[in-house]
Amino acid sequence: MSETSPPTARTLRTGPGRLLVAVYGVFALAATARGGYQLATRFDEAPLAYALSLLAGVIYLVAAFGLARAGRTSRTVAFVACGIEMAGVLAVGTTSVFLPEVFPDDTVWSNFGSGYLFIPLVLPALGLWWIRRVHRLDQAGEG
Amino acid sequence: MVDWLTMTIQMVSLAMAGWFLVSTLRDQPMVVPHLVGMGLLWLLVLGQVGVSVAAMVGGERPAETAMFVSYLATVALLPPACAVWGFMERSRWGPAVIAFACLILPVLLVRLEQLWNPVV
C-alpha cells in the first residue's frame, strides 16, 4: 500500500476501504432486495423479521455511501452506520439464538449472520477499525 | 438457464478469483490482463443472461419470476461494476475487489439455478 498521497487526500475509499465499499454495496443490495421482496409478498408471516432485513439493507447502503464519499461528515455517517450495524447484528443474533420465536423467519442478522458466512458480523468490525485507522492517520498528519 | 454454462461460469469465476487473490498477495495493482479476464467472464455471464431472458420471453418462467429477474440483473451488473471500482484503485486492493466479485458470482448462480429449477 502506498503512503505517498498527502494526508488531506487520504479518504476512506482508498486501500482496504475500496474492498469494504464493494462488500457493503453488495450486502446493501442483497438485504434490501430480500427484505423488500419478503415484505411485499409474505408480510403476514414474519413482518418484524422482514422489516429488520430491509432496515439492515438501508444501513448497509448508508455505510457504503459514507465510506465511498470523501469528507468528515461522511466519515461520521459511516462510523454511526457501522456502529448501528454492529449493535444490530449482536442484538438480533442473540435474540434469534435465545428467543427464536420472536423471528418466525430468518433475517440477514439471524444467528449472527450464519446464513451469509458470518460476513454480517465481521463487516461492521472491519468497517469501524478502518474508519478509526484513517481518522488516526489524518490526525497524526495534521499534528 | 443452460446448466453447462452455469458450471463453466462458476469454474472460470473461481479460477479467476484465485488469480486475483495471488495478485493481491503479491501487492500488484489491477492491470489490463485482469480487465480482459473480467471481460471474458462477463461475456459468459451475458450469454447465460441472454439465454435465460430468451427462455422467459418464450414462456418458460420460474415460479418466483420477480426474484429471478432481480438476481439476473445483479449477476449481469456485478462483474463490470466491480471491475470499474477495482481498476480505479491503483494498489493491491483493486484485484481484491474483483476477487470478491468472482467469489460471490458462483453463489449468485447457485441461487439462480435454485429459483429456475426448484427441487422441492
Side-chain angles (χ1 to χ4, degrees), chain A residues 1-2 13-19 21-24 26-27 29 33-34 37 42 68 119, chain B residues 27 64 66-67 70 74 78 82 84-86 88-94 96-97 100 104:
Chain A
M1 203 167 59
S2 71
R13 68 162 170 265
T14 51
R18 180 70 53 169
L19 180 60
V21 172
V23 181
Y24 265 107
V26 168
F27 267 80
L29 193 64
R34 177 184 170 153
Y37 180 79
R42 302 206 299 269
I119 293 174
Chain B
D27 219 352
E64 296 187 83
M67 198 70 171
S70 69
T74 308
L78 185 73
C82 281
V84 169
W85 187 244
M88 281 162 68
E89 170 77 29
R90 301 318 299 155
S91 78
R92 61 153 81 193
W93 296 101
V97 169
F100 166 71
I104 55 169

Side-chain angles (χ1 to χ4, degrees), chain A residues 60-78:
Chain A
Y60 285 130
L61 196 64
V62 173
F65 273 104
L67 288 168
R69 288 172 59 94
R72 297 272 157 147
T73 314
S74 68
R75 188 174 298 174
T76 312
V77 168

